[in-house]
Structure formats: C-alpha cells, structure tokens
Amino acid sequence: MSKPYVRLDKSQAAVLLVDHQSGLLSLVRDIEPDRFKNNVLALADLAKYFKLPTILTTSFESGPNGPLVPELKELFPDAPYIARPGNINAWDNEDFVKAVKATGKKQLIIAGVVTEVCVAFPALSALEEGFDVFVVADASGTFNEVTRDAAWRRMEAAGAQLMTWFGVACELHRDWRNDIEGLAALFSAHIPDYRNLITSYSTLTAAK
C-alpha cells in the first residue's frame, strides 16, 4: 500500500549527524572511502546552506570509535554536540533527545556510521515518537551491502524514507529560481561532473 508523499520542508527539518567518527569511518566498506566522506560533507554543507538546525553526536569517543570528523565540528562550531559516554542508541541519551526536540522540527534528516546501528536505532526510535524520518543513504555507511540492505529494509518497514544528499538538497530547494548560484556552488563543490555543467551554464549566461 502506497503512502502519501511527505515532502521535505526546510522550515520543518533538522539534521542529525550520528557517529561520523574517525575510528568508525574505517569500518565503512559499502561505499568508497573518498566518496563517502564527500557525501557526508555534502550533507553538512547543504544543512548549513539551508540553515537547518544540526545536531552532532558521538559514541564512546575515548574508545576505538575515535573523535568526530574534524570538518563537521568546524562547519558547526555552535551546534549542539552530544558526546555520549556509552549509549549505543543515541535516542537513549537524554541530552540528545532534548536537543532534537528543542529544534521544534517534525522532520529529521539522519545520517551516520554504522547504518544498522547508529542510524537505524535512533531512526526507529524517532519514528516511534511520531517524527518523519529521512535517512540519507549515501552519507551513512557500514560493513557491506548485506548489513546495509538489512538496515534499509528495517527502517523502510517502520516508515523511514531513504534518500541521497542530492535528493535532499533538491527537495528542500524546490525551485532553481530560488537561488541558482548558491545551489550550483554547493553541487559543484561535491560533484565534479556538475561543475562542468555549471561552467558551461556560466559561460553561456555571460555571453548573452
């Protein structure tokens, strides 16, 4: 049975970046390391571009999971930063849940490492509490395709929507006329082929 189209709305959305930590990133094998990090930073850039409330959280930093990827902290120096002492499911951490609810947003855009744990557990918990959950599949990573696909199926069955960072950006933007140069710059920074497209567009525009 099909469900109604729940469209991302920048006035209703918040971004949760869960456990993008240096140690955990080394476990990601379902997507190439360079591409994966690019996707994570693209998601972070679009969150900043659309001025979406963004929450950073880590798990057991003092252990093998390691520290948060430094670029994320640099991008969001004033964002809520929840260093969980041991909770595997971020939703089990009271400070994290308080930070999420303090945004006042109904739509949660979630990405993290690893997909079947750090993404799936808070996604399922948020769905249970009535949030609309959008999982950014290409900014979340795990051991292999088997574990990834199992996590995707579990979250989808509970009502989560799977998206990519590019899809998220386009759905939030709605109309190119809102800001051609700004969105084009974001895309060009993370998609080399798109940079070629925009170079062509800029050249043609300048010639008119």
Side-chain angles (χ1 to χ4, degrees):
M1 181 178 177
S2 63
K3 297 180 180 179
Y5 176 25
V6 177
R7 184 184 303 203
L8 275 170
D9 183 336
K10 62 185 179 183
S11 69
Q12 294 297 323
V15 175
L16 313 182
L17 299 176
V18 184
D19 301 353
H20 289 101
Q21 296 166 247
S22 59
L24 292 175
L25 257 63
S26 68
L27 302 176
V28 176
R29 292 289 181 271
D30 60 324
I31 186 170
E32 298 90 338
D34 290 346
R35 180 179 296 180
F36 179 63
K37 190 167 184 181
N38 174 72
N39 294 342
V40 173
L41 296 180
L43 174 60
D45 281 346
L46 77 83
K48 200 169 184 68
Y49 172 75
F50 289 107
K51 299 181 174 61
L52 305 181
T54 301
I55 297 170
L56 310 173
T57 186
T58 57
S59 173
F60 196 39
E61 282 189 30
S62 59
N65 293 353
L68 181 74
V69 173
E71 292 93 332
L72 295 180
K73 187 61 177 171
E74 290 167 10
L75 275 169
F76 303 103
D78 301 318
Y81 178 69
I82 314 300
R84 309 189 315 278
N87 313 98
I88 294 175
N89 181 352
W91 210 265
D92 289 340
N93 183 279
E94 185 178 349
D95 292 334
F96 179 77
V97 176
K98 281 182 179 178
V100 172
K101 293 183 177 180
T103 68
K105 307 303 182 182
K106 177 73 171 174
Q107 299 180 337
L108 302 181
I109 300 167
I110 303 179
V113 183
V114 294
T115 307
E116 68 269 30
V117 176
C118 306
V119 179
F121 292 176
L124 294 168
S125 299
L127 285 163
E128 189 176 31
E129 293 203 23
F131 289 90
D132 292 323
V133 172
F134 301 80
V135 173
V136 188
D138 57 351
S140 302
T142 188
F143 306 105
N144 54 55
E145 290 80 2
V146 173
T147 55
R148 178 196 66 198
D149 291 352
W152 285 355
R153 288 196 298 271
R154 187 182 189 198
M155 288 186 283
E156 279 189 316
Q161 294 192 50
L162 297 183
M163 298 186 70
T164 64
W165 73 261
F166 187 80
V168 168
C170 290
E171 191 158 275
L172 288 168
H173 201 59
R174 300 289 178 92
D175 191 320
W176 267 111
R177 292 167 295 183
N178 290 331
D179 178 16
I180 297 173
E181 288 76 16
L183 190 65
L186 192 157
F187 287 167
S188 297
H190 295 283
I191 307 173
D193 292 342
Y194 212 94
R195 191 176 305 123
N196 297 335
L197 185 154
I198 294 302
T199 299
S200 174
Y201 166 77
S202 301
T203 302
L204 290 172
T205 303
K208 291 182 179 179

